[in-house]
Amino acid sequence: MSSNSISKGRLLIITAPSGAGKTTVVHHLLREFDQQLAFSVSATTRPPRPGEIDGVDYYFITPEEFDAAIAQDQFAEWEEVYAGRKYGTLKSEIKRLWSMGQTIVFDLEVVGATKLKKMYPEESLAVFVQPPSSDILFERLRNRATEDAESLNARIERASLELSYANSFDLILVNDELENTLQDARQIVLDFLSLN
Ligand code: 5GP
């Protein structure tokens, strides 16, 4: 099959403010459903955090490479999530995972998630992971050792905006007790995968 004739698969879009626990949910689902789900590795211009691996967590590329990819229309969606920090979903990544017959899991901020949902309204399920409260979310962000003061403030500001998107998606998954959250997430995927 040529890369142009790949039939569409399904998309599971997980979105949330930074710090809401979205990445934990995504990793859990990928482990639980390792035969059915595959992660869409995004491109980003932000530097890797300790432990992050190029090609696994992200494709870490330079701003010049990112802009060249934009110019060549290589992104399904992209966002400058923080000043100077761009993140994007490569069309080639979607094709690659669909050609393997897998349902793709995306870890996206709310604007990119909205765009992708609009592109694939029938094929996608978009889940908003909601922190128990905005105060708890801000506290979690402060406790993250990875952030310096400047990027922490940017993240808190961005998180406030992102919280307002909660009702824009198909489902809200409240992340209060992690065990319950993961169980609920598992059920959501079971229901989604049983659709045809
Ligand atoms: P982080 O720097 O914490 O890994 O990610 C920052 C934010 O960017 C998170 O909300 C994450 O979900 C989002 N993000 C990661 N990859 C993409 C992408 O390809 N497109 C969009 N729109 N957002 C992304």
Side-chain angles (χ1 to χ4, degrees), residues 22 42 46 49 58 77 87-89 107-109 112 155:
K22 166 179 52 166
S42 295
R46 87 147 162 74
R49 294 184 183 134
Y58 283 104
E77 65 76 35
Y87 298 76
T89 304
D107 176 335
L108 305 180
E109 52 66 58
R155 275 169 194 267

Side-chain angles (χ1 to χ4, degrees), residues 12 20 24 26 36 49 57 61 140 147 167:
L12 177 63
T24 309
V26 167
Q36 295 92 350
R49 294 184 183 134
D57 299 286
I61 63 176
R140 282 185 196 161
E147 312 301 341
N167 292 312

Side-chain angles (χ1 to χ4, degrees), residues 124-187:
S124 67
L125 180 74
V127 180
F128 183 89
V129 181
Q130 189 167 47
S133 73
S134 48
D135 283 347
I136 291 176
L137 177 66
F138 300 156
E139 194 52 38
R140 282 185 196 161
L141 286 174
R142 277 187 210 100
N143 289 338
R144 261 200 190 170
T146 51
E147 312 301 341
D148 59 39
E150 195 186 343
S151 85
L152 174 63
N153 285 338
R155 275 169 194 267
I156 287 182
E157 213 169 287
R158 176 91 192 180
S160 307
L161 168 90
E162 297 202 282
L163 282 170
S164 69
Y165 276 69
N167 292 312
S168 311
F169 299 101
D170 297 315
L171 287 175
I172 294 179
L173 174 66
V174 178
N175 186 10
D176 196 343
E177 287 294 319
L178 186 61
E179 275 312 306
N180 295 341
T181 308
L182 297 181
Q183 210 170 333
D184 290 349
R186 190 170 174 279
Q187 191 57 51

